[in-house]
C-alpha cells in the first residue's frame, strides 16, 4: 500500500534541514509503529519519498511524502498514529492512499505556491502594484545569484500577487515552477525582489510554502488530486 | 515558541545552525514555574550537537523532571555568531524550553566532561547574567558542577559553588530536597551549609587554601567540613533510575542513537585511565532489564541504532545473549547495533560480526602503546600476537577499515616505543593487504598522555613539546602511504588540558584571564587560540606545575577528595608500572584497591559470576 502524507512545518521545525526532516520523519514512523517497508541494500531505512525539499528557514503548510506500507491500514488511522508521535510543529493534516504504481511524487511536482514576507526600508515608499505590473510585463527577469549563476526568472514564475503591508512587512504571493525540470529557487527570487525593488524590500525574506502542485490531467492539481486554477 | 515574528525568525535565520537554539524536540519536558519548588538549568558547556549526545545530561534532565516539584531545562554553549547577536542586542543566554535567562533559575548545573570546555563555563555564566566569581554572587542561582572534571575541581573552584563527585542519580534528588527546604529563607549561606553535609559535595567556600610544597591545597576552614570528600556511587545500577522516554533532537548530533548503558565501571585497571579508576566498582544491568529498556527506548524515540555503552562492552557478562536478543527482535525493523571500542581478542571480533550484520562500520581497538614493555607499564597487557590474530580475523571476516588508538608521552616511553607503534602498524597493514576484501584503511589516532588526578600516574611528567614533535615525526615517516590515515591531538590543546587537569586554584586565574581575552570553544580548532594560553602561562604561571613530575610525598590539589581508591593502591600500582608488572582484572580476584570497603559497595555482575 502507498500512502501520501501531508504535514505542516512551522515554529521550531522551520529550522530543520530537509535531510534532518527525513530522519525526523523516519523516527516518527517508528514511534508510531507504522508498518513501513524498508529500503533494500546496505543501510535499510523506511521507504519514504518526499515531494520537494524545502529550504531551511522556510515554513510550510504543505509538505508531502509518500510512504510504502507492508500491510493495509486506514489512511485516517495513519494520520492519527503519526500525530501521536510528532510534535505539533510537524503535525500531519491529511493522509490518503495513492496507487502503488503511480510515478514518484518528486517527478510529478510542477509548481509551488509561496507567501513571502520581507521587511521594507524605513521611511521609504514604493508603488508596489506598479513594480509587480512591470515584473509581469517584462520579457525577462534577469538576476545573478550568490553562486554567480545568471538566471532568467521570467519563465519560472507563474503568478505574482502583491498582498499589501502588515506593519513593516510587505507580503507577496508567488507561484513558481518546481520540480526536476524547471525549478524556481525561492532564495533566488527573494534576492531578485530585493534588487528589483531598489533595496526597498530587504533580505532575508521569510518564506511560507502554502501548497505544492502536481501535473494533473488537464491542469495543475494538488497532491491529493484537487484541480487548481491559478 | 509560537508563530515566529519576523525579527525573532531573522535572528535565528542569520546564524549558523539555528536549530541549536530553538528546542521543541520530541520528549521535551516543559513545566510551569509557578507550580514547582525548585527550578534547575542543566548546562552542557559545548554546542547543542555535542551536549545532546551526552547520556548523563539526558538522564538527569528526565530524572529531575519526573518529580512534579522540580523543573529542569537545558542550555548549551552558543556559537560565536549567536553570542555576538545576544551581546549586541543586550540579551542574556537562555534555556531552550522556556527561553528564560540563566540568572532566573535557582540551580545552574554544569557537566564538566573535559578541561577544554572550562572557558565555556565562565562564558555561559556571564552571558546568562550570573556573576562568574562565586564570591560575587548573592542569592540564586546556586552554581553546581558534576562529571569527570570534579576529580580536580580547583581551577573552577572560584567560579562554581558546589562540586559533586561521582554518580548523580540518587544524590541530585537529595540535593534538590535540601535546596527546597533550606532555600525557603533565600539565604545562600544557609543553603550551602546544608549542602556540605550531604555526602559527595565539595563546597570551596568552606575550605581555606594552604600552600604546601608546590601546591595550594584546600583544607577545611571549620569543624564538620569533610576531608576527604568521597565520591558517591549508586550501589545498584540495576535498581537505579533510567528514563524510558529520552529527548530526541531534530538535527543530526554526534551520537545519533540510543545509548544503552549495560554497565558502569571497569575492572581492567589501566594505569593512565581516570575513568577506569573513578567509575569503579563494576556494576552491570541484568539481561532482562536491558531487554526491557531497549524495547521501551526504541518505541519511545524511534531511533534505528542502539549502542551498547560501557567502558568495556565485551566484558559484559551476558554480551552474547544481549546481542542475540537485540538482533533477533529488532533487525527486521532495520535497527542496528553498535559496539564501541573493542578489546583486541577474537571474542570481540565474533561479537562485532554478529552486530554488523545489519550495518557494517569500522572496528576500533586501543592498544595505546607500541611495545609489549610499555603496554605492561600501563597495564594494558594485550599481547602483540593476540592483537595481530584479532585484526587478521577481522580482515578475513570482511572488514577492511580498522581504527587504532595510541598515546604519546606515557611514563617511561622512549623513541623505541614509538618505533614499536610503526612496526606494529606495518604488521597490521601487511595482514590487511593479504586478507582484507579490498585495500585496507588503517586509521591511527594518536593522543597525548595527560597525567590525571586519582590515577597511579598522577605524579608523572607531561611530555615536552620537542619530544612530542620528534616522536610524531617518527610516526609520520614510518607510516607513509595511502593505507594509513594518521591524526593526532593538537599538542597545545593537550598542554591546556594538562594545565587544568593538574593545576591548583592558580590555574583558575589563568583560565579567567584567557577567557576575558576572548577564548572560548577551545575544543574546536577553529576557535582555539593557543597563543592566548601560552602567553598567560608564560607571564603568570609556573610551567613546572604543568609539566611535573611531582614527588609522591607532597599533597596534591585534589588530596582533599577521594575517588575511593586508596593512596597506597595508587602508589603500589605506580611501582608495579615501573617494574613492568601486570595487575590482573579484579573480576579474577580482588586487587585491594580499597574502593569497595571505603564506599561500602561491591561489584554487581549480571547473571551471577
Amino acid at each position: 500500500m502507498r500512502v501520501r502524507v501531508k504535514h505542516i512545518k512551522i515554529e521550531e521545525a522551520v529550522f530543520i534541514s530537509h535531510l534532518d526532516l527525513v530522519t525526523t520523519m523516519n523516527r516518527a514512523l517508528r514511534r508510531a509503529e507504522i508498518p513501513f517497508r524498508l529500503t533494500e541494500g546496505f543501510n535499510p531505512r523506511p521507504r519514504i519519498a518526499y515531494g520537494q525539499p524545502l529550504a531551511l528557514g522556510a515554513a510550510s503548510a504543505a509538505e508531502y511524502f509518500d510512504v510504502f506500507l507492508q500491510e493495509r491500514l486506514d489512511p485516517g488511522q495513519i494520520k492519527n498514529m503519526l500525530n501521536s508521535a510528532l510534535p505539533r510543529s510537524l503535525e500531519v493534516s491529511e493522509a490518503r492512499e495513492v496507487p502503488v504504481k503511480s510515478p514518484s511524487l518528486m517527478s510529478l511536482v510542477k509548481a509551488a505556491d509561496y507567501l513571502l514576507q520581507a521587511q521594507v526600508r524605513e521611511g521609504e515608499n514604493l508603488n508596489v502594484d506598479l513594480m509587480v505590473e512591470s515584473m509581469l510585463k517584462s520579457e525577462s527577469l534577469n538576476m545573478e545569484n550568490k553562486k554567480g549563476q545568471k538566471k532568467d526568472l521570467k519563465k519560472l514564475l507563474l503568478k505574482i500577487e502583491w498582498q499589501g503591508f502588515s506593519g513593516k512587512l510587505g507580503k507577496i504571493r508567488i507561484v513558481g515552477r518546481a520540480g526536476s525540470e524547471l525549478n524556481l529557487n525561492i532564495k533566488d527570487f527573494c534576492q531578485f525582489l530585493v534588487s528589483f525593488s531598489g533595496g526597498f524590500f530587504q533580505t532575508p525574506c521569510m518564506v511560507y510554502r502554502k501548497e505544492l502542485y502536481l501535473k494533473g490531467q488537464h491542469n495543475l492539481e494538488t497532491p491529493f488530486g484537487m484541480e487548481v486554477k491559478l | 515558541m509560537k508563530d515566529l515574528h519576523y525579527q525573532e525568525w531573522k535572528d535565528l535565520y542569520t546564524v549558523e545552525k539555528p536549530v541549536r537554539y530553538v528546542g521543541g524536540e520530541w520528549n521535551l519536558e516543559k513545566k510551569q514555574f509557578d507550580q514547582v519548588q525548585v527550578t534547575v538549568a542543566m548546562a552542557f558547556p559545548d554546542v547543542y550537537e555535542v551536549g545532546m549526545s551526552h547520556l548523563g545530561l539526558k538522564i538527569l534532565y528526565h530524572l529531575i523532571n519526573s518529580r512534579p516539584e522540580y523543573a529542569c531545562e537545558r542550555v548549551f554553549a552558543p556559537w560565536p555568531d549567536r553570542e555576538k547577536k545576544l551581546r549586541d542586542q543586550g540579551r542574556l543566554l537562555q534555556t531552550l524550553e522556556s527561553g528564560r535567562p540563566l540568572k532566573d533559575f535557582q540551580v545552574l548545573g554544569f557537566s564538566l566532561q573535559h578541561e577544554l570546555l572550562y572557558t565555556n563555563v565562565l562564558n555561559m555564566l556571564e552571558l546568562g547574567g550570573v556573576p562568574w566569581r562565586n564570591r560575587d554572587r548573592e542569592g540564586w542561582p546556586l552554581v553546581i558542577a558534576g562529571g569527570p572534571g570534579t576529580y580536580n575541581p580547583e581551577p573552577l573552584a572560584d567560579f562554581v559553588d558546589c562540586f559533586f563527585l561521582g554518580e548523580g542519580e540518587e544524590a541530585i534528588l537529595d540535593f534538590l530536597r535540601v535546596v527546597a527546604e533550606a532555600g525557603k529563607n533565600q539565604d545562600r549561606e544557609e543553603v550551602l551549609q546544608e549542602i556540605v553535609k550531604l555526602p559527595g559535595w565539595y563546597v570551596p567556600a568552606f575550605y581555606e587554601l594552604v600552600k604546601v610544597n608546590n601546591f595550594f591545597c584546600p583544607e577545611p576552614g571549620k569543624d564538620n567540613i569533610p576531608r576527604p570528600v568521597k565520591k558517591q556511587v549508586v550501589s545498584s545500577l540495576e535498581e537505579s533510575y533510567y528514563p524510558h522516554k529520552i529527548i530526541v533532537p531534530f538535527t543530526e548530533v554526534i551520537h545519533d542513537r540510543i545509548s544503552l548503558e549495560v554497565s558502569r565501571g571497569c575492572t581492567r585497571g589501566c594505569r593512565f585511565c581516570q575513568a577506569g579508576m573513578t567509575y569503579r566498582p563494576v556494576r552491570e544491568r541484568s539481561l532482562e532489564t536491558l531487554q526491557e529498556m531497549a524495547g521501551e527506548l526504541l518505541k519511545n524515540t524511534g531511533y534505528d541504532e542502539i549502542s551498547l555503552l560501557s567502558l568495556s562492552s565485551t566484558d559484559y557478562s551476558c554480551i552474547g545473549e544481549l546481542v542475540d536478543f537485540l538482533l533477533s527482535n529488532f533487525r527486521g525493523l532495520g535497527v542496528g547495533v553498535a559496539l564501541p571500542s573493542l578489546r583486541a581478542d577474537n571474542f570481540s571480533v565474533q561479537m562485532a560480526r554478529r552486530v554488523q550484520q545489519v550495518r557494517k562500520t569500522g572496528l576500533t581497538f586501543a592498544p595505546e602503546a607500541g611495545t609489549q614493555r610499555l603496554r605492561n607499564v600501563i597495564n594494558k597487557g594485550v599481547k602483540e600476537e593476540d592483537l595481530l590474530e584479532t585484526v587478521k580475523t577481522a580482515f578475513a571476516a570482511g572488514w577492511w577499515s580498522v581504527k587504532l588508538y595510541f598515546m604519546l608521552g606515557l611514563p617511561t616511553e622512549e623513541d623505541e616505543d614509538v618505533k614499536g607503534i610503526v612496526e606494529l602498524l606495518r604488521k597490521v597493514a601487511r595482514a590487511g593487504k593479504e586478507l582484507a576484501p579490498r585495500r585496507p584503511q588503517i586509521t591511527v589516532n594518536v593522543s597525548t598522555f595527560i597525567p590525571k588526578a586519582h590515577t597511579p600516574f598522577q605524579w608523572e611528567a607531561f611530555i615536552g613539546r620537542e619530544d612530542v614533535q620528534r616522536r610524531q615525526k617518527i610516526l609520520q615517516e614510518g607510516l607513509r602511504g595511502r593505507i594509513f590515515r594518521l591524526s593526532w591531538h593538537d599538542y597545545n590543546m593537550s598542554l591546556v588540558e594538562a594545565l587544568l587537569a593538574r593545576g591548583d586554584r592558580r590555574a583558575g586565574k589563568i583560565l579567567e584571564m584567557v577567557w576575558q581575552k576572548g577564548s572560548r570553544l577551545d575544543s574546536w580548532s577553529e576557535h582555539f587560540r593557543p597563543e592566548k594560553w601560552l602567553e598567560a602561562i608564560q607571564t603568570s604561571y609556573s610551567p613546572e606545575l604543568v609539566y611535573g613530575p611531582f614527588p609522591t610525598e607532597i599533597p596534591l590539589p585534589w588530596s582533599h577528595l577521594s575517588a575511593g581508591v586508596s593512596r597506597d593502591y595508587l602508589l603500589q600500582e605506580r611501582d608495579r608500572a615501573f617494574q613492568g608488572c601486570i595487575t590482573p582484572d579484579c573480576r579474577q580476584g580482588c586487587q585491594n584497591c580499597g574502593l569497595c570497603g571505603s564506599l561500602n559497595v561491591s561489584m554487581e555482575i549480571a547473571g551471577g559470576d
Side-chain angles (χ1 to χ4, degrees):
Chain A
M1 186 188 185
R2 178 172 168 180
V3 176
R4 182 159 296 166
V5 176
K6 178 183 183 183
H7 69 86
I8 61 178
K9 190 171 190 268
I10 62 170
E11 295 173 4
E12 297 93 351
V14 312
F15 296 111
I16 309 175
S17 71
H18 182 71
L19 218 57
D20 283 338
L21 178 65
V22 175
T23 306
T24 298
M25 267 311 154
N26 285 341
R27 290 180 189 152
L29 286 163
R30 289 183 191 281
R31 291 195 290 267
E33 295 182 300
I34 307 260
F36 49 78
R37 283 192 188 281
L38 284 171
T39 57
E40 326 253 313
F42 200 53
N43 220 346
R45 294 264 135 91
R47 219 181 125 188
I48 73 173
Y50 262 88
Q52 173 86 350
L54 185 68
L56 198 151
S60 178
E63 291 304 287
Y64 291 90
F65 67 85
D66 286 352
V67 57
F68 293 82
L69 304 182
Q70 291 189 33
E71 54 186 74
R72 292 196 62 78
L73 278 180
D74 172 49
Q77 203 191 341
I78 293 184
K79 170 184 161 182
N80 293 336
M81 284 161 83
L82 266 179
N83 278 334
S84 69
L86 279 169
R88 272 210 300 268
S89 55
L90 290 170
E91 190 178 309
V92 172
S93 45
E94 205 174 340
R96 288 211 203 162
E97 182 172 7
V98 299
V100 172
K101 292 290 181 192
S102 45
S104 79
L105 185 53
M106 198 172 270
S107 67
L108 293 171
V109 171
K110 286 296 167 221
D113 202 328
Y114 297 98
L115 183 65
L116 305 177
Q117 290 186 70
Q119 221 164 26
V120 300
R121 207 154 45 198
E122 289 273 349
E124 273 187 41
N125 270 318
L126 181 71
N127 188 333
V128 186
D129 282 307
L130 220 58
M131 183 192 81
V132 170
E133 243 186 79
S134 91
M135 265 190 210
L136 293 168
K137 283 197 195 127
S138 303
E139 286 209 353
S140 61
L141 298 171
N142 289 311
M143 58 90 60
E144 186 177 326
N145 70 7
K146 294 212 167 95
K147 292 183 191 165
Q149 297 164 322
K150 290 196 167 67
K151 296 186 182 179
D152 177 8
L153 302 184
K154 179 72 183 178
K155 57 188 184 329
L156 299 177
L157 282 164
L158 296 174
K159 197 177 186 71
I160 312 176
E161 203 177 85
W162 167 237
Q163 295 198 340
F165 292 103
S166 178
K168 277 191 289 183
L169 294 174
K171 293 190 192 183
I172 295 185
R173 174 192 175 204
I174 66 159
V175 179
R177 292 194 192 276
S180 34
E181 288 170 13
L182 290 170
N183 189 61
L184 174 70
N185 181 317
I186 196 63
K187 277 196 185 151
D188 285 349
F189 180 80
C190 292
Q191 210 185 307
F192 168 76
L193 176 68
V194 167
S195 65
F196 197 83
S197 70
F200 177 68
F201 288 110
Q202 300 180 304
T203 51
C205 293
M206 205 158 81
V207 173
Y208 181 60
R209 186 153 80 186
K210 286 172 51 199
E211 189 56 279
L212 273 186
Y213 300 125
L214 307 187
K215 177 183 166 63
Q217 282 212 322
H218 311 289
N219 274 320
L220 293 175
E221 60 182 35
T222 72
F224 286 143
M226 267 183 44
E227 204 178 307
V228 171
K229 292 214 164 60
L230 287 180
Chain B
M1 224 172 77
K2 288 295 133 199
D3 263 335
L4 287 166
H5 298 298
Y6 180 82
Q7 193 53 47
E8 227 182 306
W9 172 84
K10 182 182 172 183
D11 277 340
L12 289 163
Y13 186 73
T14 47
V15 296
E16 234 184 89
K17 299 197 184 158
V19 74
R20 286 169 170 160
Y21 312 111
V22 299
E25 306 99 319
W26 186 252
N27 289 332
L28 171 130
E29 304 205 48
K30 184 173 168 184
K31 295 196 169 167
Q32 299 290 85
F33 271 31
D34 54 10
Q35 289 171 12
V36 302
Q37 285 175 25
V38 184
T39 59
V40 182
M42 188 75 52
F44 194 94
D46 204 336
V47 298
Y48 181 90
E49 311 88 270
V50 177
M52 282 299 285
S53 299
H54 189 247
L55 180 63
L57 173 110
K58 293 178 216 174
I59 292 179
L60 289 177
Y61 174 75
H62 290 294
L63 170 60
I64 297 172
N65 279 319
S66 72
R67 294 301 173 96
E69 63 267 32
Y70 308 131
C72 181
E73 303 196 345
R74 298 160 300 147
V75 61
F76 301 95
W79 201 244
D81 55 2
R82 170 77 167 175
E83 178 184 340
K84 179 170 193 306
K85 254 201 223 291
L86 291 176
R87 288 189 192 278
D88 287 347
Q89 295 170 2
R91 286 161 63 194
L92 295 176
L93 183 63
Q94 59 197 36
T95 56
L96 289 174
E97 281 75 3
S98 66
R100 281 187 170 83
L102 302 187
K103 71 174 175 61
D104 286 355
F105 287 79
Q106 284 165 285
V107 176
L108 173 54
F110 285 92
S111 175
L112 305 177
Q113 289 307 305
H114 62 86
E115 296 80 9
L116 292 173
L117 301 178
Y118 290 4
T119 48
N120 299 335
V121 173
L122 297 180
N123 203 39
M124 289 170 76
L125 282 170
E126 196 246 330
L127 261 180
V130 178
W132 66 91
R133 288 193 189 140
N134 48 23
R135 61 176 178 271
D136 293 336
R137 279 172 218 144
E138 297 167 358
W140 309 117
L142 267 180
V143 178
I144 68 175
T150 59
Y151 289 106
N152 176 25
E154 287 307 291
L156 286 173
D158 282 337
F159 314 110
V160 172
D161 294 316
C162 321
F163 293 93
F164 177 75
L165 273 72
E167 298 160 8
E169 288 100 320
E170 289 159 8
I172 191 69
L173 295 177
D174 294 331
F175 168 81
L176 290 173
R177 202 169 305 126
V178 163
V179 169
E181 276 306 303
K184 288 196 177 119
N185 297 335
Q186 313 285 329
D187 185 329
R188 172 172 263 265
E189 185 67 21
E190 208 180 304
V191 179
L192 289 175
Q193 275 170 12
E194 289 307 305
I195 290 169
V196 79
K197 293 179 189 165
L198 295 170
W201 287 91
Y202 165 47
V203 183
F206 298 127
Y207 294 74
E208 275 156 20
L209 288 178
V210 179
K211 181 103 190 291
V212 191
N213 300 107
N214 307 37
F215 290 111
F216 281 94
C217 301
E219 291 292 324
K222 54 183 196 173
D223 289 332
N224 299 322
I225 299 299
R227 191 196 193 283
V229 176
K230 278 192 193 171
K231 90 158 187 216
Q232 300 297 297
V233 295
V234 297
S235 45
S236 166
L237 193 63
E238 174 71 3
E239 307 290 314
S240 78
Y241 170 85
Y242 202 103
H244 283 203
K245 290 185 181 182
I246 293 197
I247 187 165
V248 182
F250 281 132
T251 189
E252 198 184 322
V253 296
I254 313 287
H255 294 305
D256 242 336
R257 54 203 185 188
I258 292 172
S259 292
L260 196 66
E261 192 184 16
V262 297
S263 72
R264 212 175 272 182
C266 178
T267 47
R268 306 233 143 222
C270 303
R271 293 170 179 136
F272 58 85
C273 181
Q274 190 186 56
M277 293 288 150
T278 58
Y279 280 102
R280 295 181 181 203
V282 162
R283 288 142 296 153
E284 298 183 342
R285 283 198 161 93
S286 72
L287 186 61
E288 295 73 37
T289 300
L290 289 172
Q291 288 168 343
E292 191 207 316
M293 271 165 61
E296 286 292 300
L297 285 168
L298 284 170
K299 192 173 78 172
N300 292 323
T301 61
Y303 278 116
D304 63 2
E305 189 170 292
I306 293 194
S307 170
L308 303 188
L309 197 70
S310 79
L311 291 171
S312 182
S313 296
T314 41
D315 280 342
Y316 174 62
S317 308
C318 310
I319 184 73
E321 295 97 314
L322 179 60
V323 165
D324 284 340
F325 168 82
L326 292 172
L327 289 175
S328 59
N329 281 20
F330 302 117
R331 195 164 141 199
L333 292 170
V335 174
V337 179
L339 291 174
S341 157
L342 300 171
R343 229 170 51 216
D345 62 29
N346 280 332
F347 176 73
S348 302
V349 178
Q350 295 315 319
M351 264 315 104
R353 274 183 91 175
R354 269 144 104 174
V355 309
Q356 293 196 10
Q357 283 170 59
V358 182
R359 228 165 267 134
K360 219 179 193 80
T361 52
L363 286 184
T364 305
F365 302 102
E368 305 294 7
T371 56
Q372 195 61 49
R373 184 201 72 81
L374 190 53
R375 281 196 293 275
N376 290 356
V377 167
I378 64 179
N379 208 36
K380 202 140 201 210
V382 56
K383 297 207 185 71
E384 182 171 298
E385 314 91 79
D386 290 334
L387 178 65
L388 287 173
E389 224 0 83
T390 307
V391 296
K392 280 182 189 162
T393 310
F395 287 134
W399 272 279
W400 48 270
S401 164
V402 295
K403 191 176 196 175
L404 292 121
Y405 283 101
F406 289 95
M407 267 193 281
L408 287 182
L410 290 165
T412 75
E413 179 184 275
E414 301 286 337
D415 287 0
E416 286 313 302
D417 298 296
V418 183
K419 289 177 188 159
I421 298 180
V422 172
E423 274 159 42
L424 180 58
L425 286 169
R426 283 193 186 152
K427 288 179 187 167
V428 172
R430 264 199 294 277
K433 279 187 222 171
E434 250 175 80
L435 300 166
R438 44 173 277 198
R439 183 166 48 142
Q441 187 179 98
I442 299 174
T443 307
V444 186
N445 202 289
V446 184
S447 61
T448 323
F449 167 66
I450 314 259
K452 289 275 191 164
H454 305 281
T455 64
F457 288 159
Q458 63 185 1
W459 298 275
E460 300 319 301
F462 171 67
I463 189 173
R465 192 182 295 273
E466 276 154 28
D467 286 334
V468 155
Q469 281 169 349
R470 189 179 63 253
R471 288 173 187 167
Q472 280 173 350
K473 203 146 172 271
I474 294 176
L475 290 175
Q476 261 172 327
E477 282 169 7
L479 299 172
R480 291 189 200 281
R482 282 190 293 172
I483 290 189
F484 298 110
R485 274 199 197 165
L486 201 48
S487 70
W488 29 63
H489 201 45
D490 179 299
Y491 179 76
N492 287 322
M493 283 188 186
S494 302
L495 183 67
V496 172
E497 284 180 293
L499 163 77
L500 296 168
R502 56 183 359 188
D504 61 16
R505 207 64 72 91
R506 290 169 290 180
K509 298 264 182 286
I510 301 294
L511 175 71
E512 192 184 15
M513 198 186 294
V514 169
W515 163 64
Q516 283 176 320
K517 291 208 169 113
S519 277
R520 50 206 74 348
L521 297 169
D522 295 300
S523 60
W524 295 81
S525 51
E526 67 229 75
H527 294 298
F528 180 58
R529 295 283 175 268
E531 61 285 0
K532 294 201 171 98
W533 288 95
L534 292 171
E535 195 200 322
I537 293 174
Q538 229 112 31
T539 57
S540 319
Y541 201 70
S542 313
E544 320 85 75
L545 295 175
V546 180
Y547 289 103
F550 307 126
T552 57
E553 305 80 53
I554 65 166
L556 298 166
W558 51 87
S559 295
H560 62 301
L561 307 171
S562 167
V565 164
S566 74
R567 191 183 127 87
D568 283 344
Y569 176 75
L570 294 180
L571 286 168
Q572 183 190 299
E573 278 300 295
R574 180 176 180 269
D575 283 340
R576 290 175 68 84
F578 288 125
Q579 290 159 37
C581 295
I582 304 256
T583 296
D585 188 320
C586 73
R587 282 185 206 234
Q588 283 145 32
C590 175
Q591 299 301 320
N592 291 310
C593 73
L595 178 118
C596 293
S598 160
L599 300 179
N600 202 19
V601 287
S602 56
M603 244 196 287
E604 179 187 38
I605 305 292
D609 49 357

